[in-house]
Amino acid sequence: MDTSVTTTAEEKVWGGGNRPLGASYGKLMMWFFIVSDALTFSGFLASYGFSRFKFIETWPIADEVFTHVPFFHGNYPMYYVAFMTFILIMSSVTMVLAVDAGHRMMKNRVILYMFLTIIGGAIFVGSQAWEWATFIRGDYGAVETRGGRILQFVNADTGERAALADFAATLPDTRVAHQRDNGVWFEAEGTLPTYTVEEVAEGLRSNPNILIRTETLNEDGEKTVLNREESLDKIKDARLVVEGANLIRNEYGSRLFADFFFFITGFHGFHVFSGVVINVIIFFNVILGTYERRKHYEMVEKVGLYWHFVDLVWVFVFTFFYLV
Amino acid sequence: MAHDHKLEIFRGFLKFRSNTQKIWGVLVFLTIVTAVEVALGITKPAVLTHNYFLGMKLLNWIFIILTLVKAYYITWDFMHMRDEKSSLRRAVVWTPIFLVAYLIFILLFEADYIYNVWKEGFMAWDF
């Protein structure tokens, strides 16, 4: 009986050593750390929801942003993220198998399952790095208006997105990137976009099958495509060419979209990375036989809790960032 | 603690013979749920995207409910919450649920208010 109080326990109630919640100190502290960390992530995701509800009519569509799969060309929305989700759940399974083997004091199995968990974590972190690189590089390019809105381009014949490289005109270019060694002030500037606003505008004017797509969502949840006259009128507002993404602006739409992408998946990726590091430490401890001498594998259980938590957070990030 | 795992899921509908078997069973379930989510996310059935409940698309409600289902099984079976005392379970689970529900309520209402101010107020952002 867990709940019954025996006389001996009553005697040392104030002397320490009680376990009112039936868990050791370390495990309990891991649980409470997880609670506080969960609140941090909830803060991130809730503020994402705040910004999204604020700009509900113009928010980028995640399906159209995350369409790449390594080694494959083409349009595959969601597949790679779903694969990453599966990898993380799978590594959660090997972790819980390691915990289970630890309970039964099977050292070699713990080693095997911990190893597989680390591999899974490494694949996930690597995938996330690739996802970041793809996101930062961008694929189609866009222009930004005077008011900070993003204008993208579509091909009127196919209805598919048009990359700047497909239609931008080549004009004699006089603008060169400013280096710090040839100015009065010792400052350099960032990389200039491949095309200038004039080249994009000229390309739009000379290609009758290119139309502008605005940020605004229509009733079907798709981006509004302007007709030819509206497009030619709208391009006059263009001020900047945007290729890829950084913390200031991105070609996908609302600036906050990229900011939240970097912060939320970055914070999560950092958790996965530290999880892998902690798993490696425990992995070597298991090999060295530390927990055999200690007669229990509770340490594996504790890092297991952390690892499952990381998986749990990803389930929410996956839903709120990629699906909803 | 080694052998006192609770082995039934779905309120006793499915009972496993060992803890290892339960782990694989839960993995199968989570994989199916994720596959359903991805399939819905790619096909986006018009029935679910054109009908709203409490101002949100039915599809998004389905995603959120399935996410909570997944979170439940990860916590209960992978993190062994099912085997913990009810006092520990309540301290860990209800605290964030209460605080997060409160935070979401406040922030989403405020965001919707700002959206309406910009939409209906004397401001334009069409340049």
Side-chain angles (χ1 to χ4, degrees):
Chain A
M1 289 291 278
D2 281 344
T3 45
S4 65
V5 180
T6 59
T7 347
T8 44
E10 224 171 319
E11 272 172 9
K12 53 167 191 169
V13 149
W14 301 104
N18 291 309
R19 285 180 170 189
L21 297 183
S24 71
Y25 176 79
K27 211 168 132 184
L28 211 53
M29 288 307 112
M30 183 51 92
W31 270 116
F32 289 141
F33 165 70
I34 286 173
V35 168
S36 66
D37 217 15
L39 291 173
T40 310
F41 274 109
S42 308
F44 271 134
L45 285 174
S47 51
Y48 173 79
F50 175 82
S51 303
R52 188 164 171 177
F53 269 57
K54 214 165 117 180
F55 302 115
I56 194 86
E57 278 182 344
T58 51
W59 201 253
I61 304 166
D63 286 20
E64 296 178 353
V65 177
F66 305 101
T67 55
H68 298 276
V69 175
F71 311 118
F72 289 93
H73 288 284
N75 191 3
Y76 305 102
M78 294 300 144
Y79 288 105
Y80 195 58
V81 196
F83 165 76
M84 283 163 67
T85 309
F86 182 72
I87 287 288
L88 208 56
I89 290 179
M90 202 57 219
S91 82
S92 230
V93 166
T94 53
M95 187 76 232
V96 75
L97 287 171
V99 173
D100 184 68
H103 277 313
R104 292 186 275 142
M105 302 298 286
M106 298 156 95
K107 183 180 162 185
N108 287 331
R109 284 209 171 185
V110 180
I111 293 174
L112 171 69
Y113 287 133
M114 285 295 290
F115 180 71
L116 292 175
T117 310
I118 292 166
I119 296 296
I123 294 176
F124 183 85
V125 176
S127 303
Q128 216 164 33
W130 181 86
E131 183 112 320
W132 268 51
T134 315
F135 186 82
I136 291 169
R137 195 181 330 112
D139 41 1
Y140 297 106
V143 293
E144 192 183 278
T145 65
R146 203 154 49 89
R149 297 283 203 186
I150 288 292
L151 302 177
Q152 298 167 332
F153 301 93
V154 289
N155 193 323
D157 306 329
T158 55
E160 283 172 13
R161 292 281 305 277
L164 294 184
D166 296 343
F167 67 91
T170 323
L171 299 176
D173 196 3
T174 50
R175 180 83 169 81
V176 284
H178 174 62
Q179 305 294 331
R180 56 174 294 188
D181 57 352
N182 55 15
V184 180
W185 303 104
F186 295 99
E187 283 174 357
E189 67 179 349
T191 321
L192 288 177
T194 326
Y195 305 98
T196 62
V197 177
E198 292 73 39
E199 285 174 329
V200 174
E202 185 52 41
L204 180 78
R205 279 191 288 270
S206 52
N207 283 286
N209 62 335
I210 299 290
L211 299 175
I212 282 184
R213 203 173 86 138
T214 64
E215 288 182 2
T216 316
L217 295 164
N218 60 22
E219 286 117 42
D220 295 324
E222 287 160 1
K223 298 284 179 189
T224 314
V225 178
L226 303 178
N227 63 33
R228 187 68 190 157
E229 290 74 46
E230 290 168 333
S231 298
L232 289 172
D233 193 40
K234 196 76 184 168
I235 197 71
K236 290 174 193 152
D237 285 340
R239 289 292 178 276
L240 279 169
V241 173
V242 183
E243 287 170 315
N246 56 30
L247 283 172
I248 300 166
R249 48 178 64 86
N250 67 82
E251 63 164 67
Y252 309 106
S254 177
R255 296 169 169 193
L256 286 166
F257 179 74
D259 294 348
F260 277 111
F261 174 78
F262 290 129
F263 272 90
I264 296 177
T265 65
F267 200 57
H268 177 264
F270 180 66
H271 273 75
V272 181
F273 174 73
S274 22
V276 171
V277 170
I278 299 166
N279 274 344
V280 167
I281 295 169
I282 300 300
F283 173 69
F284 283 114
N285 274 343
V286 175
I287 291 179
L288 293 173
T290 311
Y291 308 120
E292 284 295 315
R293 287 194 292 280
R294 213 178 265 184
K295 302 279 191 294
H296 63 79
Y297 277 82
E298 203 191 71
M299 212 62 207
V300 177
E301 203 175 328
K302 278 181 262 189
V303 296
L305 282 180
Y306 179 72
W307 190 253
H308 297 312
F309 170 70
V310 167
D311 179 25
L312 187 66
V313 169
W314 181 255
V315 166
F316 282 91
V317 173
F318 176 60
T319 301
F320 291 111
F321 217 97
Y322 295 91
L323 286 178
V324 168
Chain B
M1 286 286 283
H3 297 289
D4 55 352
H5 292 294
K6 291 182 181 141
L7 294 176
E8 69 267 5
I9 64 170
F10 305 138
R11 300 208 161 264
F13 176 74
L14 213 64
K15 187 157 167 58
F16 295 104
R17 278 197 304 280
S18 73
N19 192 35
T20 326
Q21 204 186 28
K22 186 180 81 169
I23 294 164
W24 289 110
V26 172
L27 169 70
V28 169
F29 177 68
L30 292 180
T31 309
I32 292 170
V33 172
T34 309
V36 169
E37 279 183 338
V38 173
L40 284 175
I42 290 168
T43 56
K44 290 191 178 161
V47 193
L48 298 176
T49 51
H50 283 79
N51 290 304
Y52 288 77
F53 177 68
L54 290 179
M56 201 161 62
K57 287 171 188 166
L58 284 185
L59 185 67
N60 289 355
W61 279 110
I62 291 175
F63 285 148
I64 290 169
I65 290 165
L66 288 180
T67 304
L68 293 174
V69 167
K70 280 203 283 188
Y72 174 86
Y73 283 99
I74 289 172
T75 321
W76 256 245
D77 291 307
F78 288 174
M79 298 168 99
H80 299 299
M81 201 45 128
R82 214 184 277 281
D83 307 323
E84 301 290 355
K85 276 192 172 186
S86 59
S87 44
L88 171 59
R89 202 166 63 221
R90 285 167 194 158
V92 170
V93 174
W94 286 112
T95 314
I97 286 184
F98 169 74
L99 292 171
V100 170
Y102 181 53
L103 181 72
I104 289 172
F105 168 76
I106 289 176
L107 286 188
L108 295 192
F109 257 77
E110 180 67 16
D112 192 50
Y113 169 74
I114 296 173
Y115 164 73
N116 281 310
V117 166
W118 283 2
K119 193 179 171 65
E120 287 154 20
F122 297 100
M123 275 201 278
W125 190 11
D126 54 359
F127 50 92

